[in-house]
Amino acid sequence: MKNEVIVCKDVSKRFETERGVVDVIDKVDLTVEENELVVLFGPGQCGKTTLINVMAGLETATGGEVTVSGKKVEKPGPDRGVVYQTTALFPWLTVMGNVEYGPKSRGISKKERRERAQYYIDLVGLQGFENSFPSKLSGGMKQRVGIARAYCNEPVVMFMDEPFGHLDAQTRYLMQEELMRIWEKEKRTIVFVTNNIEEALYLADRIVVMTNCPTTVKTEYKIDLPRPRDYVAPEFLHLREEISAVVDKTL
Ligand SMILES: Nc1ncnc2c1ncn2[C@@H]1O[C@H](COP(=O)(O)OP(=O)(O)OP(=O)(O)O)[C@@H](O)[C@H]1O
Ligand SMILES: [Mg+2]
């Protein structure tokens, strides 16, 4: 039996603003299995971040419910980690300080959290930078710290909201490769958001195509291509065309 870790049932989100109500998510049904890497792929401004925030417990659904490991999500928790497009690292803390922050704030002993943080710093390829401050790091290195920090809390699921969206093209490819290497070594359940079809196809076990706002699941593709994937393989290019064609176009 497959182990369903995240279950979204009929999830909707409506914002009440001064200028009226805004429906952003419309009855999303989605399940994510243990150690599956699901990519949410959708047009700009469709509601991807809002959906991630609802699953992470940073926003409350106004309809339906989300469960993680069978427990209803009502607020943020250490079982759910988030990596954002621009990682808000604490500028006054070193790489080590940032990575060990979560376990430290949960009272884990210095020895244990240091060992754990070092393991994840090594895993993301930042050994030697433990004592560097974020201002000295490149964009790609900051995202590595963000990934190590999320891993260091040992969450059940990780949400990644366009984590490579601000990187230059070359670094973005490199980080996609790196994420695959890291994930093969330390499998986790990941929900990864992107509006880049190549990135979606390079990473995903399954691509969930979202509609325009108010967003819902349009269709899904199971991606069985062997890894590491080749961006120019005929099957890759074929899927790229096929999936691009079903995505709603925005202006
Ligand atoms: N707190 C809020 N109050 C009102 N409207 C909101 C709020 N948060 C998001 N929205 C609206 O919801 C819509 C979707 O926003 P969201 O950021 O979730 O989309 P997205 O798919 O992540 O966009 P992007 O591609 O820019 O990352 C937008 O129109 C936005 O204005
Ligand atoms: Mg977004």
Side-chain angles (χ1 to χ4, degrees):
M1 248 263 307
K2 293 275 170 60
N3 187 8
E4 292 177 345
V5 176
I6 307 174
V7 179
C8 296
K9 261 200 213 119
D10 241 9
V11 170
S12 297
K13 177 68 181 174
R14 162 176 285 186
F15 290 106
E16 315 258 356
T17 72
E18 285 166 5
R19 288 160 56 209
V21 295
V22 191
D23 286 306
V24 177
I25 303 174
D26 181 30
K27 298 196 175 125
V28 166
D29 283 313
L30 176 70
T31 58
V32 183
E33 284 162 15
E34 188 173 15
N35 295 340
E36 191 181 19
L37 199 165
V38 166
V39 170
L40 298 183
F41 178 61
Q45 289 289 298
C46 75
K48 303 179 293 297
T49 295
T50 305
L51 182 56
I52 288 275
N53 286 343
V54 168
M55 290 194 274
L58 298 158
E59 296 272 12
T60 323
T62 43
E65 68 167 30
V66 181
T67 58
V68 170
S69 316
K71 266 187 14 217
K72 186 170 174 188
V73 169
E74 283 169 327
K75 54 180 180 3
D79 59 329
R80 283 155 284 136
V82 190
V83 181
Y84 297 99
Q85 191 163 28
T86 36
T87 298
L89 300 173
F90 298 120
W92 60 89
L93 294 179
T94 61
V95 167
M96 174 59 80
N98 272 282
V99 174
E100 69 169 5
Y101 185 83
K104 185 177 178 185
S105 59
R106 280 182 290 118
I108 292 176
S109 75
K110 186 165 180 175
K111 181 170 180 294
E112 194 186 334
R113 69 177 192 250
R114 281 277 149 102
E115 270 174 25
R116 202 197 284 180
Q118 190 67 55
Y119 175 79
Y120 291 114
I121 288 170
D122 293 351
L123 180 70
V124 301
L126 283 179
Q127 57 279 22
F129 291 94
E130 292 81 357
N131 298 319
S132 301
F133 286 91
S135 59
K136 299 278 180 267
L137 305 178
S138 68
M141 288 162 90
K142 283 184 189 150
Q143 291 310 77
R144 288 177 197 261
V145 179
I147 294 169
R149 184 173 62 180
Y151 261 104
C152 200
N153 277 314
E154 310 211 312
V156 177
V157 297
M158 282 201 277
F159 300 106
M160 298 192 172
D161 189 2
E162 304 200 47
F164 311 143
H166 276 336
L167 303 176
D168 63 84
Q170 226 34 55
T171 310
R172 188 169 188 159
Y173 284 128
L174 176 67
M175 288 305 293
Q176 290 166 8
E177 262 177 57
E178 283 290 277
L179 179 61
M180 286 294 90
R181 179 186 62 75
I182 292 163
W183 180 70
E184 295 288 352
K185 184 126 194 275
E186 285 286 340
K187 279 276 166 89
R188 290 292 189 282
T189 307
I190 296 181
V191 180
F192 187 106
V193 167
T194 186
N195 58 15
N196 179 302
I197 182 61
E198 261 197 330
E199 182 165 85
L201 271 172
Y202 188 78
L203 301 174
D205 287 323
R206 184 157 53 103
I207 296 179
V208 176
V209 179
M210 308 300 297
T211 66
N212 263 336
C213 195
T215 200
T216 195
V217 174
K218 183 164 196 178
T219 183
E220 297 191 0
Y221 293 85
K222 183 128 186 49
I223 310 299
D224 288 323
L225 303 175
R227 293 185 171 102
R229 292 180 181 156
D230 176 357
Y231 296 99
V232 293
E235 312 78 53
F236 191 99
L237 295 172
H238 174 79
L239 277 167
R240 181 183 157 153
E241 289 227 336
E242 186 179 338
I243 300 172
S244 300
V246 303
V247 179
D248 295 342
K249 300 290 178 276
T250 43
L251 293 176

